[in-house]
Amino acid sequence: KNEVEQSPQNLTAQEGEFITINCSYSVGISALHWLQQHPGGGIVSLFMLSSGKKKHGRLIATINIQEKHSSLHITASHPRDSAVYICAVPSLETSGSRLTFGEGTQLTVNP
Amino acid sequence: KAGVTQTPRYLIKTRGQQVTLSCSPISGHRSVSWYQQTPGQGLQFLFEYFSETQRNKGNFPGRFSGRQFSNSRSEMNVSTLELGDSALYLCASSLGQTVAHEQYFGPGTRLTVT
C-alpha cells in the first residue's frame, strides 16, 4: 500500500504570501494528483503530474520522482484560496483508478 | 461539457434503512470511482467500475455495493445503515483504465444516518 503524508496539516497565511504544501509517498508511482476541496465538500482536480512541473495561474505543482516528493505552491495567495488541499497517489496493488489520499492541508488565507 | 453530477445532494436516513446514491459521469468517461469521506478517516476508496464491471473494491463491508449501467452511470447502495455510515460520498469519473487519466469529482452526496 502506498502511504501518503502531507505537511503541514494546517497553514494560515496573510494575503499575498507564497504558500508551499508538501506531499511524500512511499512507493514509486506513475502520476500524482493535487486536489482542492472547498467548504461544502466539492473536490476540484488541480493537477495530475508524473514528472517535472506544471503551472496553472498562480498555482504551481512540482514532483521529484526519485525523492518521492511533490510540492504545491501558491503565489500571491488570496482569501479565495482558503480550502483543503489534498494529494493523492495510485494504489499499485491494482490497476485502474484507485487512489490513496493524504490527510489534507487546511489552508486559511487572511485578508 | 457537463461535469459529474450526483443525486441526491443531501440525504437523511434512519439506522437500519438502505440508501441508493447515483452518479452520472462526464460524457465519454467510462470509469467511475466512489469514495467515502469522514472526519475521522478522511477520503477512502470504496469501489471502481469500468465498462459495467467492478474493477477494484476497497475495504468496506458487503453492505456497500454498487453497479454501473451501459451508459456509464453508476449507483452505490448501502444496506442496513449504521450511524458510522454518515459521510460525504463522492464519485469521480475518468476517461479510462489507469490513474494516468485525470479524475473529475462530483459535488458529493452528504448522508446523515440518525
Side-chain angles (χ1 to χ4, degrees):
Chain A
K1 183 184 171 181
N2 211 344
E3 302 294 336
V4 182
E5 288 190 4
Q6 278 186 243
S7 64
Q9 285 190 326
N10 294 283
L11 184 54
T12 300
Q14 289 300 121
E15 184 173 356
E17 286 186 1
F18 182 84
I19 304 289
T20 295
I21 300 170
N22 296 299
C23 176
S24 297
Y25 49 92
S26 57
V27 181
I29 57 171
S30 57
L32 179 144
H33 301 251
W34 279 104
L35 311 170
Q36 179 193 56
Q37 186 172 32
H38 278 284
I43 290 181
V44 173
S45 177
L46 297 175
F47 296 102
M48 184 185 70
L49 66 166
S50 54
S51 65
K53 176 177 167 178
K54 283 191 175 181
K55 186 175 189 292
H56 184 257
R58 296 180 294 104
L59 300 177
I60 303 167
T62 64
I63 189 167
N64 185 317
I65 296 294
Q66 287 75 29
E67 294 187 3
K68 299 186 179 61
H69 180 269
S70 177
S71 293
L72 176 67
H73 306 285
I74 305 175
T75 62
S77 59
H78 190 277
R80 65 175 174 266
D81 297 326
S82 298
V84 176
Y85 292 84
I86 304 167
C87 72
V89 300
S91 168
L92 296 181
E93 299 162 344
T94 62
S95 61
S97 303
R98 177 174 184 160
L99 294 175
T100 299
F101 300 87
E103 291 187 357
T105 296
Q106 173 70 63
L107 171 64
T108 303
V109 181
N110 294 317
Chain B
K1 236 184 205 180
V4 178
T5 58
Q6 290 187 246
T7 56
R9 292 292 311 278
Y10 302 91
L11 204 49
I12 300 175
K13 289 284 190 179
T14 304
R15 269 182 304 176
Q17 288 186 314
Q18 75 164 18
V19 66
T20 299
L21 312 181
S22 179
C23 172
S24 293
I26 291 172
S27 177
H29 285 192
R30 295 165 64 191
S31 170
V32 174
S33 299
W34 287 90
Y35 300 93
Q36 181 196 63
Q37 186 178 37
T38 59
Q41 299 295 320
L43 273 161
Q44 292 185 293
F45 172 80
L46 278 157
F47 27 65
E48 183 216 356
Y49 288 87
F50 181 81
S51 293
E52 300 180 67
T53 300
Q54 186 182 84
R55 186 159 60 181
N56 289 304
K57 191 175 193 304
N59 296 324
F60 280 82
R63 300 184 297 107
F64 291 81
S65 63
R67 58 178 175 169
Q68 186 180 34
F69 302 95
S70 59
N71 62 357
S72 293
R73 189 178 71 86
S74 178
E75 289 181 347
M76 68 163 281
N77 185 77
V78 187
S79 62
T80 319
L81 284 165
E82 300 177 358
L83 293 178
D85 297 333
S86 295
L88 180 68
Y89 291 89
L90 292 153
C91 79
S93 76
S94 69
L95 270 172
Q97 296 179 274
T98 72
V99 289
H101 290 105
E102 192 164 356
Q103 292 200 25
Y104 295 83
F105 285 81
T109 294
R110 189 165 296 280
L111 171 65
T112 302
V113 182
T114 61

